[in-house]
Amino acid sequence: MSEHELIHGCLRENRQCQAEVFQRYAGKMLTVCLRYARHRMEAEDILQDAFIKVFDNISNFQFAGSFEGWIRRIVINTALKKFQQKSFKDEAIGIDEGYDMSLEPSVYADLHEEELLALIAQLPDGYRVVFNLYAIEGYSHHEIAEMLGIEESTSRSQLLKARRILQQRIIDMQKIAV
């Protein structure tokens, strides 16, 4: 069944079409959720809430862009709402000295995707959310500030701190491996 037919089936609240849409996109969207959640159960909760919103709001899809992109936006917004409820904004902000550490390119080359995702998942909530939105999703600091209700400078600061923490943890991993 084509994507267009599936969407129209979902508009008619056809359960088979809804199940097919979930089957097609849940795996990719769970990966997105895992980047924002602290653990898998939380990611699965975000995913479930997001797909409820997808089906509730599918009539708003305009067929102008990518359906997957539209779903992804809902998933990200659902994850952000969850974190706004937790109010991660109370985390310390500001830029410490020495944040601009340089690493040899070979250090990054030896890092596997799963290891990097695990390191990102260990970041404090605010740092992780800003890092994901900026470095992975490609949002600007202005857009992040609007989405999270924070200042642009806070977004920049949280990103710098996230990068610094990740760099230090990568250096520590390399020391252990040697």
Side-chain angles (χ1 to χ4, degrees):
M1 193 177 294
S2 75
E3 188 176 87
H4 191 74
E5 292 170 324
L6 282 176
I7 295 167
H8 282 291
C10 289
L11 285 166
R12 292 187 309 273
E13 297 184 9
N14 179 306
R15 296 289 181 213
Q16 282 184 310
C17 291
Q18 290 174 334
E20 179 66 26
V21 166
F22 185 82
Q23 286 288 121
R24 267 191 205 183
Y25 298 106
K28 289 179 185 177
M29 297 306 131
L30 181 60
T31 302
V32 172
C33 293
L34 286 167
R35 288 197 308 260
Y36 292 92
R38 288 188 172 184
H39 47 78
R40 187 174 184 88
M41 269 181 46
E42 187 176 52
E44 290 171 355
D45 285 346
I46 293 168
L47 181 70
Q48 181 178 1
D49 291 347
F51 268 96
I52 289 169
K53 290 177 184 176
V54 165
F55 296 128
D56 285 348
N57 295 292
I58 200 155
S59 62
N60 295 332
F61 181 66
Q62 301 295 313
F63 295 92
S66 156
F67 184 55
E68 181 177 334
W70 183 77
I71 293 173
R72 179 187 210 82
R73 181 82 175 193
I74 291 173
V75 169
I76 291 169
N77 287 336
T78 302
L80 293 179
K81 282 200 188 298
K82 183 145 185 103
F83 282 105
Q84 286 172 339
Q85 292 169 354
K86 291 180 181 179
S87 188
F88 67 82
K89 295 177 225 171
D90 294 334
E91 290 178 7
I93 60 171
I95 302 171
D96 295 336
E97 296 299 318
Y99 67 85
D100 190 22
M101 291 185 248
S102 296
L103 294 178
E104 290 292 319
S106 64
V107 171
Y108 296 114
D110 294 337
L111 197 61
H112 295 285
E113 179 183 356
E114 295 83 20
E115 292 170 318
L116 181 58
L117 289 175
L119 289 174
I120 293 169
Q122 294 171 7
L123 290 170
D125 288 348
Y127 300 171
R128 184 176 67 249
V129 170
V130 170
F131 183 86
N132 281 322
L133 289 171
Y134 185 86
I136 297 174
E137 305 296 343
Y139 289 101
S140 70
H141 288 295
H142 178 74
E143 292 169 316
I144 294 168
E146 284 182 356
M147 283 191 261
L148 301 179
I150 59 176
E151 297 294 321
E152 282 185 55
S153 60
T154 302
S155 176
R156 286 187 189 92
S157 172
Q158 298 242 334
L159 177 66
L160 288 172
K161 285 187 166 203
R163 285 179 171 167
R164 190 181 73 247
I165 290 169
L166 290 172
Q167 286 175 337
Q168 187 57 53
R169 288 183 180 166
I170 291 168
I171 289 169
D172 293 345
M173 286 175 60
Q174 294 302 313
K175 288 178 185 175
I176 292 171
V178 173

